[in-house]
Amino acid sequence: MNNANLTTHTAQKNTLKHTLSFSALTLAVLIGITGCSSDDGKNGVDGIAGTDGQNGTDGSNGNPGFASATFILANNGETNTGTIDLIDQSAAKLKTFNTTANEGVAFDSLGNLLQASDSESGSIKTICQLANRADGSSYDANTDREITGANTTLVNPKGIAVAQKSGLIFIADFGAMQITTFGATAAGNATPLGATITEAAPWDVDYDETNDRLYVALTNGDVAVYDNFVGGEFAAMPSRTITPSNNDGTQISVNIHGIVYDSNTNKLVLSDVGSASDATDGSLFVINNASTADGLVSVARSIAGPATMLGNPVDISLEGSDLRVAEKSNDAVLVFSNIFSGESGDITPDLITSTIKPESITKVGMQNVMADISDSDTANVALLGVAVSSNPGTTGETTGQISRLSSQLNTEIGNYNAGQTIESVTFDKAGNSYTTFDNSTTSIGGIVISNKVAINRDGQTYNTNQDSVITGANTGLISPKGLDVASDSGMILVAENNADTPSISIFSTCTTGDASPLMTLTFANGARPWDVDYDANTDRAFVALTNGTVAVFDEVKSKLMAGNANIAVEDRLITPANAGTAVEAPTNIHGIDYDSLSGSLILSDVGSAAVADDGKIYVLNNVAMASGLVNISTTISGPNTLLGNPVDIMYTGTDLYVAEKSNNVVMRFNNILSIAGGDISADASTAFTAPESVAILPAWLNQ
């Protein structure tokens, strides 16, 4: 806590000693947490023969059992500020990470941690794939990113809530007395999407995304409720205000900090620190019917008193009906089981774990279990549509545009402009787009990362309050082409095609600006890549080379995690062949998609870039460990195919979409692994200006 809200360290220590002396029951709980098994009591006195003896004394209770889970605990004491601990369900420390931030924590749908900080200037940091990071590691600008600067208006950001589906983050800014909203992929000195002024300084927020309702904990003891918050463009005024009260209608809240909305029960749980200088006056409140509650609301349950250990409960996290409390003044994590039921009063926590100055707590976010869009793991995947980028040779009205087409290719359902001369586009499992661009005049390339383009950015363009970009001399990006995203590993793999430093450059999905690659993959004989497909199941990268071959790199992520900065040469090289003879020149592979289910590799060959009728599609079987000449099992080519320069492809698990640039068409070939091939027409097609890349958009992206 800050400024006038802080007590001295000495006073806190003295108050803690006083608090711990309040109750023998509290002491018993503290003793009980030292071990998981219960202790046997003393044996009773033997009775006289023929009569019962005296009962023995009861054994001490062991720790209560909680469902297995992991949580993030942010620290903000003199000796540990800027660190977070990964803890288990009983608050045992698993590892520590130095974020350099000190306030509220939340997770996005990709497993990245967002943390507010007011230790220096106000900022929001995104820590990439935190659960996979090593114990003792730290924030790294090449891996992570930060929103900070004068344009952000951030002063003292505290609690954070994330709208997973809409890709927004809401920050309770205590110092600015406002709720500040950004797009989840914004970075740097970004201007907020919205700033909602509050009647009192806010400390925390929670968001009901199903009903588009924002709950804000205010330090005057109220909860501000905003209905239709996003739909109403970050409503300026609350729809109503909830004031916790007793049965007589008298306000009992003083200084609300933590807030959690439980959609299953339509209840709010609140923590109230009371006076920040008093280590004994904290409270917990449960509010029923939260979605419609208004005015003075009699609490369904209140917990306060010396046995509770509640002094400054600055944050709370709800897992099922177990409430975890970051109790700052008394240096503990408290767990209250069955928070929604039971009597009010001076209730002893079910578990008390000592820790130093906890500031915020949240459960580690669950990652989306679906495969990345380039990693087909099921047949007949349902689609929202197909994304296609446009890259005409001369700048025109479609330059920089990413269009969303229906899966039947007969309707445009949306479009977004990345604001660059774009090459290839792909998406992560949150529906954010990653788009390569280059500039032949400046010889500077990069990657545009845009928020929720797969779902809801219709008619919009790149904007720093939602989006970010990776570019600059350190990136080594000059002429980037195809790319792939491994969401669960936080990796972007980019095919850098320039003649002097051809490579696959691997960047963090969370980085921004002039970041250096985390690792590079280079090739024998200076071969130049056009596209890459990373298979997460096998940790293997397949690279389409413009000399007509495919480079294969094994154990990519494993080598990155082991500290390797460069893999100097491919593990294997595949050369497509017919009857044991390599495909004749000109051969120039561009599009590539590996299917781990069948072990098949699908390739597009543009042949001569100057010829509009010599393109081909190849299918190669059993390539997982293949090397050297590999016979093509299926070839699609000829005038009926309209294949001239098929610059990109993507497989759905059944069908193949093709971006055919020279003939200005996007096509779909059905059942690509089972057809005979030959000079066949596409099963669906549509005219499209200079299509450069194609990516499927699975329906689950909109869940």
Side-chain angles (χ1 to χ4, degrees):
M1 305 181 68
N2 293 310
N3 303 328
N5 291 339
L6 287 171
T7 57
T8 66
H9 185 60
T10 301
Q12 288 170 332
K13 289 172 63 178
N14 293 337
T15 304
L16 177 57
K17 292 177 181 177
H18 177 65
T19 302
L20 290 176
S21 68
F22 276 128
S23 165
L25 182 57
T26 300
L27 181 60
V29 173
L30 285 169
I31 294 171
I33 68 172
T34 61
C36 289
S37 20
S38 52
D39 298 323
D40 293 334
K42 296 179 181 179
N43 293 329
V45 178
D46 291 337
I48 300 172
T51 64
D52 293 335
Q54 297 177 6
N55 291 330
T57 59
D58 292 335
S60 60
N61 293 328
N63 281 350
F66 299 109
S68 179
T70 52
F71 298 83
I72 290 297
L73 186 68
N75 304 306
N76 197 11
E78 290 182 3
T79 61
N80 63 0
T81 187
T83 66
I84 58 172
D85 296 326
L86 184 70
I87 60 175
D88 68 11
Q89 65 276 6
S90 298
K93 187 185 299 186
L94 305 175
K95 61 182 178 180
T96 298
F97 187 92
N98 183 18
T99 64
T100 71
N102 65 327
E103 293 289 346
V105 286
F107 278 88
D108 67 17
S109 61
L110 297 172
N112 303 316
L113 177 73
L114 291 92
Q115 186 175 14
S117 179
D118 65 357
S119 58
E120 295 179 357
S121 57
S123 79
I124 307 297
K125 292 186 175 178
T126 299
I127 310 299
C128 206
Q129 297 297 306
L130 177 73
N132 298 329
R133 305 281 280 271
D135 183 23
S137 55
S138 300
Y139 175 90
D140 182 347
N142 282 329
T143 304
D144 312 308
R145 67 173 176 265
E146 181 178 22
I147 298 173
T148 191
N151 292 339
T152 69
T153 72
L154 294 171
V155 180
N156 297 116
K158 302 293 184 182
I160 303 176
V162 179
Q164 305 290 2
K165 188 173 179 180
S166 55
L168 301 175
I169 54 176
F170 311 117
I171 300 106
D173 194 326
F174 177 85
M177 285 186 61
Q178 68 183 28
I179 305 303
T180 311
T181 302
F182 294 96
T185 57
N189 192 15
T191 302
L193 279 168
T196 302
I197 303 300
T198 53
E199 295 178 358
W203 195 275
D204 201 4
V205 288
D206 202 5
Y207 181 62
D208 173 12
E209 188 154 17
T210 300
N211 297 296
D212 190 14
R213 183 174 292 121
L214 188 73
Y215 296 91
V216 182
L218 301 176
T219 53
N220 67 352
D222 289 337
V223 175
V225 184
Y226 297 83
D227 296 329
N228 192 35
F229 185 69
V230 176
E233 297 184 350
F234 318 116
M237 298 297 294
S239 306
R240 57 194 175 282
T241 299
I242 299 171
T243 304
S245 68
N246 60 22
N247 291 333
D248 296 328
T250 301
Q251 179 175 346
I252 57 175
S253 57
V254 178
N255 186 356
I256 299 175
H257 273 42
I259 185 167
V260 174
Y261 174 71
D262 181 50
S263 60
N264 294 321
T265 61
N266 192 23
K267 297 177 187 290
L268 275 178
V269 186
L270 310 171
S271 69
D272 192 325
V273 306
S275 170
S277 60
D278 189 334
T280 65
D281 67 342
S283 305
L284 299 175
F285 304 126
V286 176
I287 303 288
N288 287 342
N289 304 311
S291 62
T292 55
D294 191 10
L296 288 165
V297 177
S298 180
V299 300
R301 192 183 188 201
S302 64
I303 297 175
T308 69
M309 290 283 292
L310 295 170
N312 280 187
V314 287
D315 197 25
I316 54 178
S317 177
L318 185 66
E319 174 63 10
S321 61
D322 295 334
L323 186 76
R324 286 168 174 81
V325 181
E327 168 47 53
K328 189 172 183 180
S329 62
N330 290 315
D331 295 310
V333 174
L334 315 176
V335 184
F336 293 87
S337 295
N338 302 312
I339 189 64
F340 299 128
S341 60
E343 298 295 325
S344 296
D346 189 7
I347 310 298
T348 301
D350 293 278
L351 183 67
I352 304 171
T353 306
S354 178
T355 190
I356 299 173
K357 295 295 171 281
E359 185 69 49
S360 185
I361 186 169
T362 191
K363 184 180 178 182
V364 172
M366 297 296 292
Q367 292 180 324
N368 186 323
V369 298
M370 306 302 290
D372 274 300
I373 66 167
S374 67
D375 297 334
S376 52
D377 66 349
T378 183
N380 300 315
V381 61
L383 298 181
L384 287 175
V386 180
V388 186
S389 64
S390 179
N391 187 16
T394 302
T395 301
E397 62 180 19
T398 64
T399 298
Q401 184 168 299
I402 302 168
S403 296
R404 303 198 310 275
L405 308 180
S406 68
S407 61
Q408 297 301 315
L409 303 179
N410 54 11
T411 307
E412 182 177 272
I413 55 179
N415 65 76
Y416 166 83
N417 197 291
Q420 299 282 352
T421 304
I422 59 175
E423 290 286 341
S424 189
V425 63
T426 193
F427 297 82
D428 64 25
K429 293 199 292 186
N432 305 313
S433 66
Y434 298 75
T435 308
T436 54
F437 67 89
D438 60 13
N439 186 317
S440 59
T441 301
T442 62
S443 295
I444 294 177
I447 307 166
V448 176
I449 304 173
S450 300
N451 190 37
K452 295 292 183 180
V453 170
I455 302 167
N456 56 17
R457 296 291 295 279
D458 188 24
Q460 297 185 27
T461 60
Y462 175 87
N463 193 318
T464 56
N465 57 22
Q466 294 200 67
D467 313 313
S468 55
V469 63
I470 300 171
T471 191
N474 290 330
T475 69
L477 296 175
I478 297 171
S479 182
K481 302 299 183 184
L483 77 170
D484 195 14
V485 171
S487 299
D488 294 343
S489 302
M491 299 189 304
I492 316 170
L493 293 87
V494 185
E496 172 52 56
N497 183 253
N498 86 83
D500 295 328
T501 56
S503 66
I504 300 297
S505 296
I506 300 179
F507 294 90
S508 166
T509 53
C510 302
T511 195
T512 188
D514 192 11
S516 298
L518 302 177
M519 187 167 73
T520 57
L521 319 179
T522 51
F523 317 98
N525 303 318
R528 298 170 65 180
W530 192 274
D531 200 4
V532 57
D533 187 25
Y534 173 76
D535 179 52
N537 290 328
T538 60
D539 192 18
R540 187 173 288 136
F542 295 85
V543 183
L545 301 174
T546 56
N547 64 6
T549 61
V550 174
V552 185
F553 294 84
D554 296 326
E555 299 180 332
V556 175
K557 177 184 174 182
S558 297
K559 292 174 181 175
L560 174 62
M561 298 298 288
N564 291 310
N566 176 255
I567 301 177
V569 65
E570 63 269 12
D571 293 284
R572 297 183 304 286
L573 192 69
I574 295 173
T575 302
N578 289 306
T581 301
V583 173
E584 294 182 0
T587 176
N588 184 352
I589 298 175
H590 274 40
I592 187 166
D593 205 336
Y594 174 70
D595 176 37
S596 62
L597 291 179
S598 65
S600 299
L601 187 64
I602 310 171
L603 307 171
S604 69
D605 189 339
V606 305
S608 171
V611 177
D613 62 3
D614 68 340
K616 300 177 180 67
I617 302 293
Y618 305 138
V619 177
L620 286 67
N621 295 330
N622 303 314
V623 299
M625 296 301 296
S627 182
L629 293 170
V630 177
N631 285 328
I632 298 167
S633 59
T634 301
T635 299
I636 301 174
S637 65
N640 289 324
T641 68
L642 294 181
L643 295 171
N645 285 348
V647 287
D648 196 27
I649 58 175
M650 185 163 281
Y651 179 56
T652 69
T654 304
D655 306 328
L656 186 73
Y657 286 91
V658 181
E660 167 47 52
K661 188 171 183 179
S662 61
N663 291 310
N664 296 293
V665 64
V666 179
M667 300 182 284
R668 190 189 72 231
F669 292 91
N670 294 349
N671 302 308
I672 187 68
L673 297 186
S674 59
I675 61 176
D679 186 10
I680 59 175
S681 299
D683 293 279
S685 64
T686 188
F688 193 93
T689 302
E692 186 69 52
S693 70
V694 61
I696 64 169
L697 303 174
W700 53 258
L701 285 171
N702 202 27
Q703 293 176 353

